[in-house]
Amino acid sequence: MKPLSPVQQINHPLFTKHGLTVFVKRDDLIHPVISGNKWRKLKYNLLHAKSHGYQGVLSFGGAYSNHLHALAYAGYQQGLMTKAIVRGEPHYLANSTLSQATKWGMQCQFVDRKSYRLREDKDYLLTLQKNNPDYYIVPEGGSNPNALTGVGELINEITQQVSYDSLLVPVGSGGTMAGLIAADNNQHQLLGIAVLKQANYLIDHIKSLLPAEAKTYNNWQLLTQFHRGGYAKFSREDEQNIYQFNQTTGITFEPVYSGKMILAFLELIAQGYFKVGSRIVLVHTGGLQGIKGLLEQNRLTANLWR
């Protein structure tokens, strides 16, 4: 299988000081719109929808969701209708993420936070399916067993491209981490960096997604202390540090997902977490479209990101 994205070695003074060789799996380069783990998690979900005769796909997300943005475009390209249950209010339709999604045909239904919490409730999902019989329902972030197959191909690609000891990936909904664990077969150290607060529940969720043979694997860990204050939260100092890393490496990492992985990685190195001589792969999960939304909200320093 030909790799979908390159592996690129990067240099940084901290890597040299601690004797580390570091690579980035450039999944941000898979596709100009559906990049990174969004592409990989949607691939087999869309194939499932089409092969089972569904006319569309329905999923969940916030007003600036990378997942919904990618789903809208993928559905548009594949001739599938798309619907979204969106946490927020209708005025969000004007933002850069959802305005583009609706141009690709996505229908958005806005709900409050209380209603949005029902997105994993079995009775709620049964009613939703009954009301949308032609739509295949995909969880928030695309994290389900179909996603694991696509993400597993990422491990197979990296193994073809470079030898390594450890792999780091940002974790939001858990599907990418589960797919990596299942495909790695207990061969490498896998570290997930949770990007949201109080993320310990994701450990059980990741385990629940794993096939039986992978449930006993002990080569992975979800680190929950590097969320920087919560989902999509970061300080000006965090922004500056990510920007400096981007400048040093020549690769853009955004501050909601991949940037938090970078900040965690730098802290772990400073703590002496990795052995001298370690070869480490950082998975760039894409999501760069989200930068536009952060700029719209004045949450980024404009001249650093344009």
Side-chain angles (χ1 to χ4, degrees):
M1 181 180 66
K2 183 180 178 182
L4 292 173
S5 65
V7 166
Q8 177 181 339
Q9 185 172 348
I10 57 173
N11 298 303
H12 189 279
L14 206 57
F15 307 162
T16 305
K17 180 181 177 181
H18 290 264
L20 306 175
T21 304
V22 181
F23 306 90
V24 178
K25 176 61 170 169
R26 297 293 306 275
D27 259 16
D28 56 310
L29 301 178
I30 285 179
H31 188 277
V33 179
I34 320 169
S35 67
N37 61 343
K38 273 62 67 177
W39 195 98
R40 295 186 186 274
K41 290 197 285 186
L42 284 173
K43 178 181 177 181
Y44 289 98
N45 272 302
L46 296 187
L47 286 172
H48 177 92
K50 294 187 88 168
S51 66
H52 286 74
Y54 290 100
Q55 300 301 306
V57 176
L58 184 154
S59 195
F60 308 83
Y64 293 92
S65 168
N66 292 322
H67 166 65
L68 294 182
H69 184 267
L71 174 61
Y73 184 82
Y76 172 72
Q77 288 292 307
Q78 293 293 316
L80 286 165
M81 297 183 293
T82 55
K83 283 186 180 181
I85 307 296
V86 184
R87 184 186 67 250
E89 299 173 356
H91 67 82
Y92 283 119
L93 277 176
N95 77 32
S96 58
T97 298
L98 293 184
S99 63
Q100 190 63 68
T102 55
K103 285 179 183 176
W104 292 322
M106 176 171 275
Q107 298 177 44
C108 296
Q109 177 186 339
F110 291 89
V111 297
D112 58 25
R113 290 182 179 273
K114 183 179 179 181
S115 300
Y116 192 74
R117 291 192 193 103
L118 296 172
R119 65 193 180 279
E120 295 175 5
D121 180 83
K122 289 182 179 179
D123 291 336
Y124 170 77
L125 289 172
L126 283 171
T127 300
L128 192 63
Q129 187 68 79
K130 183 179 178 181
N131 293 335
N132 297 273
D134 294 329
Y135 284 78
Y136 177 54
I137 298 176
V138 172
E140 179 183 48
S143 293
N144 62 7
N146 288 326
L148 269 63
T149 306
V151 174
E153 293 175 352
L154 171 62
I155 283 285
N156 298 333
E157 289 181 24
I158 297 172
T159 303
Q160 288 180 47
Q161 293 169 303
V162 68
S163 62
Y164 63 102
D165 306 298
S166 301
L167 179 147
L168 275 74
V169 66
V171 176
S173 57
T176 299
M177 188 69 182
L180 295 173
I181 295 165
D184 185 68
N185 293 318
N186 228 13
Q187 298 300 303
H188 304 90
Q189 179 190 42
L190 306 179
L191 296 175
I193 307 300
V195 302
L196 60 159
K197 225 174 176 180
Q198 300 174 331
N200 283 322
Y201 75 94
L202 281 173
I203 296 172
D204 287 336
H205 181 58
I206 290 166
K207 289 177 180 178
S208 75
L209 290 170
L210 294 174
E213 66 274 12
K215 291 186 185 296
T216 59
Y217 294 167
N218 59 4
N219 63 320
W220 65 278
Q221 203 176 352
L222 181 70
L223 304 181
T224 60
Q225 68 269 41
F226 297 109
H227 53 74
R228 328 304 296 189
Y231 180 71
K233 293 185 178 180
F234 51 89
S235 67
R236 287 297 181 191
E237 183 182 1
D238 293 334
E239 180 197 4
Q240 287 289 335
N241 289 336
I242 294 167
Y243 172 75
Q244 288 299 330
F245 190 85
N246 292 350
Q247 292 294 104
T248 300
T249 61
I251 302 173
T252 299
F253 296 89
E254 47 69 49
V256 176
Y257 290 96
S258 58
K260 288 190 178 181
M261 172 188 68
I262 294 301
L263 296 178
F265 181 49
L266 295 177
E267 286 188 42
L268 290 169
I269 294 173
Q271 294 167 13
Y273 187 93
F274 301 99
K275 294 179 182 177
V276 173
S278 292
R279 295 168 64 84
I280 302 161
V281 173
L282 308 173
V283 179
H284 194 316
T285 54
L288 297 179
Q289 75 85 25
I291 291 173
K292 292 181 181 178
L294 293 170
L295 287 168
E296 285 177 354
Q297 300 170 77
N298 295 315
R299 300 195 53 218
L300 291 175
T301 307
N303 64 313
L304 301 184
W305 299 90
R306 286 193 170 125

